[in-house]
Amino acid sequence: MEYKILIAEDDADIAELISLYLENENLQIVYTKDGQEAWETFQKQKIDLLILDIMMPRMNGYEIIRRIREKSQVPILVLSAKTMSQDKVLGLGLGADMYMTKPFDPLELVANIKALARRSYHFSSLGNSSNQNLMKRGPFTFNPEKMCITKDDNEIPLTAFELKILVKMMKSPGRVFTKLQLYQVINQDYCLSDEDTIMVHISRIRSKIEEDPSSPRYIKTVRGLGYRFEYGDD
């Protein structure tokens, strides 16, 4: 199946390098040189994945992520020279799935892109299940045919990573998952600096499923250990 990747990068040399590596993997590339062009292209074409710089003319990457997440859960990988922890937290908090910093290893970038592509197609290809395979946990229902989770019959707009994390926790209610275990759910190498990533994903999931995210009922923090999913009465 043809997989189309949108690259939003104002440095033509970097964009060309990325394109060469991805085209070698038989991936179709659409290149845009600034944020406004990237946003307009996304609205006109069927894009399967985005690679976004943050610091771009006319519209920055943060604004693109915000706009896209209002209408789509397409995978987004940020590739930026902004290396501060707060930059990464902001990008992930707005809805990016991965955040890589420049300078970068092209082979690592390709591996991450292929992993995101596999996961997005994996979700869309698990469509041979019947309603008998619905997983119900209190007000939540996971439908493996549609690859979605609903709460009180209302679909929750989750990204691919958020969906994987929440499904993993729903399968074992009451079990405590460490940040390492949850990070492994999204198939990435773990390092201490990546704890922020899981914290941001958990925060975003809570903002979507909790009545009061500041006092969560369903995803509990177990201090010093990790998180657990609960769905019964407190």
Side-chain angles (χ1 to χ4, degrees), residues 211-226:
E211 288 83 6
D212 180 6
S214 65
S215 180
R217 174 184 177 187
Y218 302 109
I219 296 183
K220 302 282 191 177
T221 298
V222 182
R223 190 172 301 276
L225 293 176

mmCIF file of all heavy atoms in Angstrom, residues 211-226:
data_model
loop_
_atom_site.group_PDB
_atom_site.id
_atom_site.type_symbol
_atom_site.label_atom_id
_atom_site.label_comp_id
_atom_site.label_asym_id
_atom_site.label_seq_id
_atom_site.Cartn_x
_atom_site.Cartn_y
_atom_site.Cartn_z
ATOM 1 N N GLU A 211 -13.203 13.118 34.067
ATOM 2 C CA GLU A 211 -14.058 14.275 34.319
ATOM 3 C C GLU A 211 -13.238 15.408 34.925
ATOM 4 O O GLU A 211 -13.423 16.580 34.598
ATOM 5 C CB GLU A 211 -15.199 13.896 35.269
ATOM 6 C CG GLU A 211 -16.264 13.005 34.645
ATOM 7 C CD GLU A 211 -15.868 11.536 34.658
ATOM 8 O OE1 GLU A 211 -14.811 11.199 35.253
ATOM 9 O OE2 GLU A 211 -16.601 10.719 34.066
ATOM 10 N N ASP A 212 -12.296 15.044 35.816
ATOM 11 C CA ASP A 212 -11.409 16.026 36.443
ATOM 12 C C ASP A 212 -9.986 15.484 36.355
ATOM 13 O O ASP A 212 -9.546 14.725 37.233
ATOM 14 C CB ASP A 212 -11.807 16.254 37.897
ATOM 15 C CG ASP A 212 -10.916 17.283 38.597
ATOM 16 O OD1 ASP A 212 -10.062 17.891 37.910
ATOM 17 O OD2 ASP A 212 -11.085 17.479 39.814
ATOM 18 N N PRO A 213 -9.234 15.852 35.308
ATOM 19 C CA PRO A 213 -7.882 15.314 35.137
ATOM 20 C C PRO A 213 -6.955 15.588 36.314
ATOM 21 O O PRO A 213 -6.004 14.835 36.545
ATOM 22 C CB PRO A 213 -7.381 16.035 33.875
ATOM 23 C CG PRO A 213 -8.621 16.403 33.130
ATOM 24 C CD PRO A 213 -9.622 16.737 34.195
ATOM 25 N N SER A 214 -7.210 16.654 37.073
ATOM 26 C CA SER A 214 -6.364 16.963 38.226
ATOM 27 C C SER A 214 -6.615 16.006 39.393
ATOM 28 O O SER A 214 -5.798 15.911 40.316
ATOM 29 C CB SER A 214 -6.593 18.406 38.683
ATOM 30 O OG SER A 214 -7.917 18.585 39.158
ATOM 31 N N SER A 215 -7.757 15.319 39.357
ATOM 32 C CA SER A 215 -8.079 14.312 40.370
ATOM 33 C C SER A 215 -8.596 13.065 39.648
ATOM 34 O O SER A 215 -9.792 12.764 39.666
ATOM 35 C CB SER A 215 -9.137 14.855 41.347
ATOM 36 O OG SER A 215 -9.453 13.889 42.335
ATOM 37 N N PRO A 216 -7.695 12.335 38.971
ATOM 38 C CA PRO A 216 -8.123 11.253 38.074
ATOM 39 C C PRO A 216 -8.787 10.087 38.799
ATOM 40 O O PRO A 216 -8.356 9.675 39.881
ATOM 41 C CB PRO A 216 -6.810 10.804 37.419
ATOM 42 C CG PRO A 216 -5.739 11.220 38.366
ATOM 43 C CD PRO A 216 -6.239 12.481 39.002
ATOM 44 N N ARG A 217 -9.821 9.572 38.179
ATOM 45 C CA ARG A 217 -10.544 8.419 38.719
ATOM 46 C C ARG A 217 -10.083 7.131 38.064
ATOM 47 O O ARG A 217 -10.074 6.078 38.707
ATOM 48 C CB ARG A 217 -12.042 8.609 38.492
ATOM 49 C CG ARG A 217 -12.886 7.406 38.883
ATOM 50 C CD ARG A 217 -14.349 7.612 38.557
ATOM 51 N NE ARG A 217 -15.139 6.427 38.875
ATOM 52 C CZ ARG A 217 -16.422 6.282 38.570
ATOM 53 N NH1 ARG A 217 -17.054 7.264 37.943
ATOM 54 N NH2 ARG A 217 -17.063 5.179 38.886
ATOM 55 N N TYR A 218 -9.701 7.207 36.782
ATOM 56 C CA TYR A 218 -9.446 5.987 36.016
ATOM 57 C C TYR A 218 -7.958 5.640 35.901
ATOM 58 O O TYR A 218 -7.581 4.477 35.998
ATOM 59 C CB TYR A 218 -10.062 6.113 34.621
ATOM 60 C CG TYR A 218 -11.546 6.383 34.654
ATOM 61 C CD1 TYR A 218 -12.063 7.631 34.295
ATOM 62 C CD2 TYR A 218 -12.435 5.405 35.089
ATOM 63 C CE1 TYR A 218 -13.425 7.887 34.351
ATOM 64 C CE2 TYR A 218 -13.807 5.655 35.144
ATOM 65 C CZ TYR A 218 -14.285 6.895 34.775
ATOM 66 O OH TYR A 218 -15.632 7.149 34.848
ATOM 67 N N ILE A 219 -7.116 6.613 35.664
ATOM 68 C CA ILE A 219 -5.678 6.356 35.598
ATOM 69 C C ILE A 219 -5.034 6.961 36.839
ATOM 70 O O ILE A 219 -4.906 8.177 36.973
ATOM 71 C CB ILE A 219 -5.046 6.932 34.321
ATOM 72 C CG1 ILE A 219 -5.622 6.239 33.085
ATOM 73 C CG2 ILE A 219 -3.525 6.743 34.350
ATOM 74 C CD1 ILE A 219 -5.007 6.690 31.782
ATOM 75 N N LYS A 220 -4.652 6.078 37.748
ATOM 76 C CA LYS A 220 -4.107 6.492 39.031
ATOM 77 C C LYS A 220 -2.577 6.496 38.982
ATOM 78 O O LYS A 220 -1.957 5.631 38.369
ATOM 79 C CB LYS A 220 -4.557 5.527 40.131
ATOM 80 C CG LYS A 220 -6.073 5.393 40.275
ATOM 81 C CD LYS A 220 -6.666 6.553 41.012
ATOM 82 C CE LYS A 220 -8.119 6.294 41.386
ATOM 83 N NZ LYS A 220 -8.707 7.383 42.172
ATOM 84 N N THR A 221 -1.984 7.468 39.649
ATOM 85 C CA THR A 221 -0.534 7.498 39.831
ATOM 86 C C THR A 221 -0.180 6.724 41.096
ATOM 87 O O THR A 221 -0.764 6.969 42.156
ATOM 88 C CB THR A 221 -0.022 8.940 39.959
ATOM 89 O OG1 THR A 221 -0.304 9.666 38.763
ATOM 90 C CG2 THR A 221 1.491 8.957 40.209
ATOM 91 N N VAL A 222 0.730 5.782 40.954
ATOM 92 C CA VAL A 222 1.256 5.050 42.106
ATOM 93 C C VAL A 222 2.637 5.626 42.376
ATOM 94 O O VAL A 222 3.594 5.342 41.639
ATOM 95 C CB VAL A 222 1.327 3.538 41.829
ATOM 96 C CG1 VAL A 222 1.827 2.791 43.074
ATOM 97 C CG2 VAL A 222 -0.046 2.996 41.402
ATOM 98 N N ARG A 223 2.751 6.448 43.373
ATOM 99 C CA ARG A 223 3.951 7.241 43.604
ATOM 100 C C ARG A 223 5.199 6.360 43.701
ATOM 101 O O ARG A 223 5.231 5.378 44.441
ATOM 102 C CB ARG A 223 3.800 8.067 44.883
ATOM 103 C CG ARG A 223 4.892 9.112 45.070
ATOM 104 C CD ARG A 223 4.572 10.015 46.248
ATOM 105 N NE ARG A 223 3.300 10.710 46.072
ATOM 106 C CZ ARG A 223 3.174 11.831 45.397
ATOM 107 N NH1 ARG A 223 4.231 12.365 44.799
ATOM 108 N NH2 ARG A 223 2.002 12.420 45.299
ATOM 109 N N GLY A 224 6.197 6.711 42.907
ATOM 110 C CA GLY A 224 7.452 5.982 42.924
ATOM 111 C C GLY A 224 7.463 4.733 42.076
ATOM 112 O O GLY A 224 8.510 4.106 41.907
ATOM 113 N N LEU A 225 6.299 4.362 41.536
ATOM 114 C CA LEU A 225 6.213 3.124 40.744
ATOM 115 C C LEU A 225 5.742 3.377 39.316
ATOM 116 O O LEU A 225 6.395 2.997 38.365
ATOM 117 C CB LEU A 225 5.275 2.120 41.439
ATOM 118 C CG LEU A 225 5.768 1.557 42.779
ATOM 119 C CD1 LEU A 225 4.698 0.651 43.390
ATOM 120 C CD2 LEU A 225 7.063 0.793 42.585
ATOM 121 N N GLY A 226 4.568 3.992 39.161
ATOM 122 C CA GLY A 226 4.045 4.195 37.806
ATOM 123 C C GLY A 226 2.570 4.529 37.824
ATOM 124 O O GLY A 226 2.115 5.371 38.616
#
